[in-house]
Amino acid sequence: MTASTDGGTVDLTELVSIRDTGAAEWDALAGDAALYSSHLWLKYGEELADCDHRHLVASAGGRPVAALPTHRFTGTVPHFYDPSVLFPGAAEPASAERPLLLAGTRLGYTSEVLVAPDTPEPLAGSALRALLERLRALASGSGGLAAALYLTDASVERLLPLLGPADQLVMMDAGAVLDIDPDGLEGYRKRFTARQFKSRRLEMRRYDEAGCRTEVRRLSECHREMGPLSAQVLRRYGHPVTDEGESERFALQAGLFDEDCRILAAYQGERMVGFTQFFFWGSTMYARSHGLDDSIGREAKLYFNLTYYKAVEYAAAHGYRSLDLSCDAFEAKVTRGARLEPLWGLVLDAPWEGKVLDAVREAEAARRAEFASFDPGIETRVAQLVAARG
C-alpha cells in the first residue's frame, strides 16, 4: 500500500504478527522507545492470544521509518485498556459489531508511535500521517473505535499537528520514574533532608531486623516460588487469580525473557517471602510484578526495600540510569524520590459531545489536580500544548 504525502511517497506494510519481521530490524526502528514497544515484548503480548494484531510499518526508499503496533479486540479487553472502563458512559464495550482497535501497547502502560532515529522532517511527519490515516480507515471499516492509550509526552507532541478537531486527547494516567545516581544509595540519600530520610532508613532497618536477605535470581530459577506470593497481592486487590496460574504466567515469561529479567527476592532462611520483578531495556529497569508473604510483608517493609532501596543499589552497580515504577501509588513513589510523567489517551474521531464530553473533561481535571498535588511537574510543556488545543 502506497501513500503520497507532502514529505514524499510512503509505503505501508501491515504485519499480522511481530514475528513477520526480525527483532534487530524492529528494535532499530524503535530506537530508544520503552520496553513495551520492543519486538520481544510485542511477541509476549501475542502469546496471550486474546486479540488480532496488525502492526503498521511505514517505509520510504525501502527503509522502515515509522511504525505503530495495533491490536483488534472483539470481546473482553484487558481491564485498564478498556475505554468503556476508562471513560465510563463515553465508550461502549468492544464487540464483534463494534471492535476496539488499540494502537500502541496492550500490556505495560506505556505506548509510543515509533520513528526511526535520525529520520528527518518532513518525512517523519508524513510517515506518521500515513499510519494515522490507515488506523482511522481500519476503525471506520470495521465500525469500531480507534484509541491509543498511555501515550508518552514525546509521542503526543509528534501527533498533535496531525490530529483533527474530533480527536480527543485526555491525560488518563501518569508513570513514575526514579532517576539513578551513579553513587547508588549514597547519591539517593542526598536527595532528602536528614528528617525526610529518617523513615527510609527505618524501613531498611525493619528489613534487616526481620532476618531478610536479598538474592538476585532468574525467572527460570524461581517462577514456582513467585506464583503464590504474586497471587496473594493480586487477590488482595480483587483479581481472581490462582497460585498455579501465576506460576504459569511467570514460566511463560521465563521462556522469552530469562536473559532480560531479574528477580530481586527476599528470603528468610530458605523461604522466599517477597520479590520485585525487573525487566531490562536500554538504560532502564522496569518494575513489573511483585509478591509478598502477607504474614511478614508489612512488618519487614518488603515492598519498599525490594522495589526502591535494593533496586537503586542494583541499578547503580550495573549502569542503569532509571527505574520505571509504572502507575499507581503515586504518593509513596514521589515521597521516595520518583517524578511523574503524563500518560495520555487518544481517541480518534471520538463520538463525545455535550454532557458526555463534559464528564470526560471533569474526570480528567480531577486526575490532573491529584497528580499535581504529588508532583507539580506533571504539568509539562506538552501538557500545556494539549490544554491550548482545547
Side-chain angles (χ1 to χ4, degrees):
M1 186 182 306
T2 300
S4 296
T5 69
D6 293 340
T9 299
V10 174
D11 296 314
L12 292 183
T13 304
E14 299 180 6
L15 309 175
V16 297
S17 169
I18 197 64
R19 292 171 174 82
D20 293 340
T21 188
E25 181 181 20
W26 180 272
D27 291 339
L29 168 60
D32 62 356
L35 165 73
Y36 307 116
S37 292
S38 70
H39 189 276
L40 191 56
W41 191 264
L42 291 170
K43 185 162 67 171
Y44 171 51
E46 291 186 6
E47 293 282 342
L48 303 179
D50 58 357
C51 62
D52 296 322
H53 308 280
R54 192 177 295 193
H55 306 312
L56 311 180
V57 180
S59 301
R63 182 177 74 93
V65 294
L68 186 63
T70 73
H71 320 273
R72 183 175 180 270
F73 289 89
T74 56
T76 302
V77 180
H79 187 78
F80 290 112
Y81 278 91
D82 188 344
S84 70
V85 172
L86 299 169
F87 309 112
E92 299 176 13
S95 64
E97 295 74 28
R98 186 174 174 78
L100 169 65
L101 190 60
L102 195 62
T105 184
R106 46 86 64 227
L107 179 73
Y109 307 117
T110 300
S111 286
E112 293 163 285
V113 292
L114 307 179
V115 178
D118 302 321
T119 301
E121 292 291 356
L123 177 57
S126 296
L128 288 180
R129 184 183 298 279
L131 293 175
L132 204 60
E133 290 310 307
R134 181 56 182 159
L135 182 65
R136 290 185 198 277
L138 289 171
S140 175
S142 66
L145 184 71
L149 305 179
Y150 306 100
L151 284 167
T152 63
D153 262 11
S155 288
V156 167
E157 187 167 19
R158 282 192 176 278
L159 291 173
L160 272 172
L162 310 177
L163 300 181
D167 300 329
Q168 296 291 344
L169 271 169
V170 180
M171 188 187 291
M172 58 181 297
D173 214 324
V177 177
L178 180 60
D179 297 316
I180 299 299
D181 191 287
D183 291 337
L185 268 184
E186 181 59 26
Y188 176 75
R189 183 190 64 78
K190 292 176 182 177
R191 300 182 189 183
F192 304 90
T193 66
R195 183 174 183 178
Q196 288 172 333
F197 197 70
K198 182 178 179 181
S199 60
R200 314 284 88 82
R201 189 169 57 249
L202 177 60
E203 288 171 343
M204 296 179 203
R205 186 182 307 144
R206 295 273 291 274
Y207 184 84
D208 293 335
E209 289 174 348
C212 294
R213 72 178 191 283
T214 307
E215 292 190 10
V216 180
R217 308 287 297 276
R218 291 175 179 264
L219 270 168
S220 58
E221 297 172 329
C222 61
H223 60 84
R224 293 188 183 280
E225 296 174 275
M226 293 165 61
L229 298 174
S230 173
Q232 284 190 53
V233 172
L234 292 174
R235 284 196 290 263
R236 189 190 313 146
Y237 292 102
H239 298 281
V241 300
T242 65
D243 294 1
E244 296 77 12
E246 282 298 281
S247 292
E248 289 171 5
R249 178 169 71 92
F250 292 126
L252 172 62
Q253 292 179 357
L256 292 170
F257 296 104
D258 216 31
E259 295 299 320
D260 304 293
C261 176
R262 291 294 182 271
I263 308 304
L264 299 190
Y267 282 83
Q268 278 187 327
E270 298 305 311
R271 183 172 67 101
M272 182 191 287
V273 293
F275 73 86
T276 298
Q277 175 190 36
F278 289 94
F279 289 90
F280 307 140
W281 187 254
S283 61
T284 301
M285 288 172 51
Y286 291 82
R288 289 297 301 165
S289 298
H290 74 276
L292 303 172
D293 183 329
D294 287 339
S295 69
I296 188 179
R298 186 178 297 276
E299 171 194 344
K301 303 297 181 183
L302 294 179
Y303 173 76
F304 296 124
N305 277 278
L306 296 172
T307 308
Y308 297 88
Y309 316 134
K310 301 300 181 183
V312 165
E313 289 181 308
Y314 185 94
H318 292 82
Y320 293 101
R321 296 199 294 269
S322 62
L323 298 180
D324 185 305
L325 300 170
S326 195
C327 312
D328 301 325
F330 294 130
E331 183 174 12
K333 292 172 180 177
V334 171
T335 57
R336 287 167 179 81
R339 55 184 168 81
L340 301 185
E341 296 180 343
L343 294 172
W344 300 90
L346 168 63
V347 179
L348 296 181
D349 302 310
W352 299 346
E353 57 184 9
K355 292 182 178 180
V356 170
L357 180 57
D358 290 344
V360 170
R361 290 302 176 195
E362 287 171 9
E364 179 195 30
R367 278 194 301 275
R368 291 176 75 150
E370 180 186 10
F371 298 161
S373 71
F374 302 130
D375 179 8
I378 194 74
E379 293 295 341
T380 61
R381 180 179 61 84
V382 171
Q384 299 307 313
L385 291 174
V386 173
R389 179 176 180 266

